[in-house]
Amino acid sequence: MLRLAIDTGGTFTDCIFVRDGRLEILKVFSTPRDPARAIADAVKEILASFPSGTPIELTHGTTVGTNTVLERKGARTALVTTADFEDVLVIGRQYRPRLYDFFFTKPAPLVPDRSRLGARERVAADGSLVVPLTTAELRRLTARLRRLRPEAVAVCLLFSFARPEHERRIARALRRAGFLVSASHEVHPEFREYERTATTVANAYLMPVLGRYLGEIERRVPAARQRVRVMQSNGGTISARVAADQPVRTILSGPAGGVVGARYAGELAGFDRLISFDMGGTSTDVALIDGELATTNEGSVGGVPVAVPMLDIHSVGAGGGSIAWFDRGGALRVGPQSAGADPGPICYGRGTEPTVTDAHLILGRLDPDQFLGGRWRLNAGRTRRWMARAAGTRFRSLAEFAGGIVAVANATMEKAIRVISVERGYDARDFTLVAFGGAGGLHACDLATALGIRRVLVPKFPGALSALGILRSDVVKDYVHTVMLAASDPAALRLLARRFAELERTAGRALHAEGFPPARWRFERALDLRYRGQAYELTVPFTPGFARAFHRAHERRYGYADPARAIEIVNVRLRALGLSDKPALGRHRFVALSPAAARYRRAPVYFGGRSVATDFYVRERLRAGHRLRGPAVIAEYSATTVVPPGWRARVDAYENLLLEPNS
């Protein structure tokens, strides 16, 4: 069995697999119009060196769900909800993303007015029956939907998290009638009507799209049929069958793999307080890891709330392919528009708009002959011509223009890192910056300097670290049940024990269906808590000291705590893991040799507006124990790392690069 993980990005599709016990990587250009084609091409190239008929276990990180919502290219969707609540999607919340913009227009809901149907039924907040659902009402709803002919139907009734019988009956009737159905008690059985409805609708909106996409992968990669898994936003994987039923859980599929990979790299290097910095071709994704992976239930994509658990990742439109442009005032901007894989940056041979990658080539930080390990040559002459046309007479030189592009991109990414660290009560200086993605190593030291971070870790295989994280991920199932209990209630602990036991039985059946025996199950219990009267909760592990843990978490997040105030238990959460086999990076002995054998050229590179003679190294020739001083450029197959003047680098036992300032 060939174990293979693939992460599809906006510019490259990254693959990692195991051959003879060793990890190997492959990068191919993505095919945005038909993402499955790049996957099929990559698998074909990998299988060419394996015996004929080798079966594959394929785990996949995908941007299909994210792009479908952002581009509003999902299925024609209908919504069935409780009568008189058809406009929940439009009303939403009081939150205004741009408070002083009088001309701001809210994004249109995923379901138009005429496709939102009210069912004559009603359940009270405590789960008691108010208006029963009749058979005649079921027939009426089915008939109306047949006239609308939606591709998918979302069913989300008022308070169905407390009593789901009506929702089950409607979903069962519609499935018998041939409709593809997303029901809230299956997708997100939690209170908060707007978020639950929006999440259920988003799931229905994606179901036909992701179902077709996964089917296309299995058709084009027959060796992986029935053995395809998909990365979820929560840092775990699920089978393709489950992903097709609950695609909303894959919204941050690829970036989640990067965070898992960053944590693994940090563990190998001996660090547990990390800021992951994943700079790819289209975007940059950052996350803070303080020992454990942080999750959130308050995500949003394209203005659509997605309330399923996901790793707490912040994304900005700054990547290697991000396009530089000038606004009406003449100020230089970078992104969020990206050249992607088609046409790509100017230096790839087809693009005509300057990008961050082109800027690095002008600054001398990319070796045109070493891109993708020499498999692809960058066109430096073409880049200079188009960059000069874009710059016009605004700059004294092309290098100044390129330096400005890099500086603007750095400012955007620095702000993103501050959002997930400083703005949440963490001092970025206490963390190690884990830089990966094809472009992460080009910017890491600049960002570390700006943030006061004293250590940068560039893992082995940085351009495929997200794929490595996907390959090492466990199968993860998240379950939630709303309880609304006072923490001081003497009966609360007994009720919590019953709820967790019920969720664990459900999770056990699901993990068994995924092929995991009980010996490979692990359950993690947590509670959503808040002070009575508050509107939002914090999640803490369910331990005997959960109240103290909540007070500490509240003080960190909001700057204060009130131990005398009553605590309310809102939800119980269960994270169920099916523990997978995890391929590992090998440990190597240190050598005392000079890294001179890895140095292959010396050329001028711009730092701080000055041209400086710089040594270039091939990373694949560096060995554990090697040390070098900046300025240096370390080129490798999947990425490039810049060591500026005043910084030094060393290679650890797992062939990670550790970069630190000299003083």
Side-chain angles (χ1 to χ4, degrees), residues 8-14 28-32 280-283 320-322 338-342 344-345 348 371:
T8 299
T11 305
F12 286 100
T13 293
D14 305 323
V28 299
F29 282 102
S30 295
T31 50
T282 304
S283 64
S322 293
S338 173
D342 185 12
Y348 289 5
F371 192 70

Side-chain angles (χ1 to χ4, degrees), residues 142 146 171-179:
T142 304
R146 281 190 173 128
R172 194 161 49 239
L174 294 181
R175 285 170 178 150
R176 280 200 302 264
F179 293 104

Side-chain angles (χ1 to χ4, degrees), residues 294-299 306-313 424 539 557:
T295 60
T296 180
N297 309 303
E298 301 173 15
V306 179
V308 296
M310 57 179 63
L311 295 183
D312 196 358
I313 299 169
R424 297 182 183 178
T539 302
R557 175 63 65 89

Side-chain angles (χ1 to χ4, degrees), residues 10 71 114 139 143 200 212 215 221 230 257 285 313 355 372 380 385 414 428 502 566 571 621 641 646:
E71 297 170 9
R114 64 185 296 270
R139 287 197 293 266
T200 306
R212 287 193 295 268
V221 189
V230 181
D285 306 302
I313 299 169
T355 68
L372 289 181
R385 289 194 300 273
E414 179 190 341
E502 292 168 2
N571 298 311
R621 298 178 195 163
T641 300

Side-chain angles (χ1 to χ4, degrees), residues 585-651:
L585 293 171
R587 184 180 176 89
H588 302 269
R589 289 184 178 181
F590 283 92
V591 298
L593 301 175
S594 163
R599 187 169 58 241
Y600 70 95
R601 71 182 290 220
R602 188 172 178 84
V605 175
Y606 282 90
F607 293 99
R610 295 189 305 110
S611 178
V612 182
T614 301
D615 290 325
F616 281 66
Y617 296 83
V618 175
R619 183 169 180 180
E620 287 83 358
R621 298 178 195 163
L622 291 173
R623 297 291 178 261
H626 277 164
R627 296 172 181 267
L628 56 94
R629 286 184 175 270
V633 173
I634 303 171
E636 60 181 296
Y637 171 69
S638 70
T640 300
T641 300
V642 170
V643 186
W647 283 71
R648 62 183 184 271
R650 60 184 173 91
V651 184

